[in-house]
């Protein structure tokens, strides 16, 4: 995801005409969006299954479930859910993509994916903490000792 974000930011920094008149850059940006959105969706679906024991009925719902269950910010979840419509346009070609709007999105909306990555970091740290504590307690160290060795391991 970080690599796709970097590619999109690199293109977003270009002058409008420089980007829009370069078909290779436009195609590359579209592909980076597909990769980025697919990765975010796969992660969201996995988190729903693993942490919430839920199976989303749609890609957009995976983000909404994360928001409803306070794993990510609810407003962010709604914005990420809407991102799926853009992905469908890119993948299935339901309509022509407006490259100017795509460039605007690249300049203004990538922060939502940064926020998602930050939320993932928090989720992974929290889940790792639970796992590490249970491992240390499982070793027969008991709660106080398990918590002590957990803190030392971090």
């Amino acid at each position: 995801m970080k690599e796709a974000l970097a590619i999109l930011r690199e293109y977003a920094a270009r002058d409008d005409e420089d980007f829009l008149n370069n078909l290779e850059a436009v195609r590359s940006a579209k592909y980076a969006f597909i990769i980025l959105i697919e990765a975010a969706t796969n992660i969201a679906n996995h988190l729903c299954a693993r942490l919430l024991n839920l199976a989303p009925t749609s890609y957009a719902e995976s983000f909404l479930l994360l928001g409803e269950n306070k794993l990510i910010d609810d407003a962010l979840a709604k914005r990420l859910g809407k991102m799926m419509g853009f992905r469908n346009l890119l993948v299935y070609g339901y309509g022509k993509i407006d490259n100017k709007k795509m460039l605007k999105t690249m300049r203004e909306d990538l922060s939502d994916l940064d926020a998602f990555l930050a939320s993932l970091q928090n989720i992974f740290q929290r889940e790792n903490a639970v796992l590490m504590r249970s491992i240390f307690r499982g070793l027969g160290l008991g709660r106080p000792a398990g918590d002590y060795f957990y803190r030392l391991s971090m």
Side-chain angles (χ1 to χ4, degrees):
M1 286 182 65
K2 289 180 181 181
E3 183 179 330
L5 278 168
I7 289 167
L8 292 171
R9 286 199 168 97
E10 178 185 326
Y11 288 133
R14 293 183 179 186
D15 293 332
D16 288 12
E17 294 307 312
D18 180 41
F19 173 74
L20 295 170
N21 291 327
N22 184 335
L23 292 178
E24 184 178 334
V26 170
R27 281 192 295 261
S28 177
K30 288 177 180 179
Y31 183 70
F33 263 120
I34 291 169
I35 297 298
L36 184 60
I37 296 168
E38 295 271 337
T41 303
N42 289 340
I43 292 168
N45 277 327
H46 181 76
L47 291 174
C48 286
R50 175 99 165 102
L51 301 180
L52 304 176
N53 202 29
L54 295 171
T57 58
S58 70
Y59 291 133
E61 187 184 24
S62 63
F63 296 108
L64 299 176
L65 288 171
L66 294 178
E68 290 170 9
N69 287 278
K70 307 298 182 215
L71 291 172
I72 64 173
D73 177 73
D74 198 44
L76 174 63
K78 289 174 184 169
R79 290 192 305 274
L80 292 172
K82 289 180 183 178
M83 181 176 61
M84 290 314 301
F86 182 56
R87 175 238 178 232
N88 290 341
L89 283 174
L90 289 167
V91 172
Y92 299 114
Y94 293 142
K96 184 172 173 26
I97 300 293
D98 182 334
N99 294 332
K100 288 182 183 180
K101 286 183 181 178
M102 182 177 71
L103 182 58
K104 183 177 187 271
T105 298
M106 290 162 53
R107 290 179 174 155
E108 297 176 6
D109 297 330
L110 295 181
S111 61
D112 285 342
L113 291 150
D114 291 323
F116 182 63
L117 286 173
S119 295
L120 292 177
Q121 185 68 30
N122 291 335
I123 292 167
F124 295 150
Q125 286 175 346
R126 189 171 50 244
E127 289 304 308
N128 188 43
V130 170
L131 177 63
M132 293 298 290
R133 282 191 177 108
S134 67
I135 289 170
F136 285 124
R137 289 182 190 144
L139 293 173
L141 298 174
R143 184 179 179 122
D147 288 346
Y148 172 76
F149 285 108
Y150 159 75
R151 284 191 301 276
L152 289 178
S153 72
M154 297 309 280

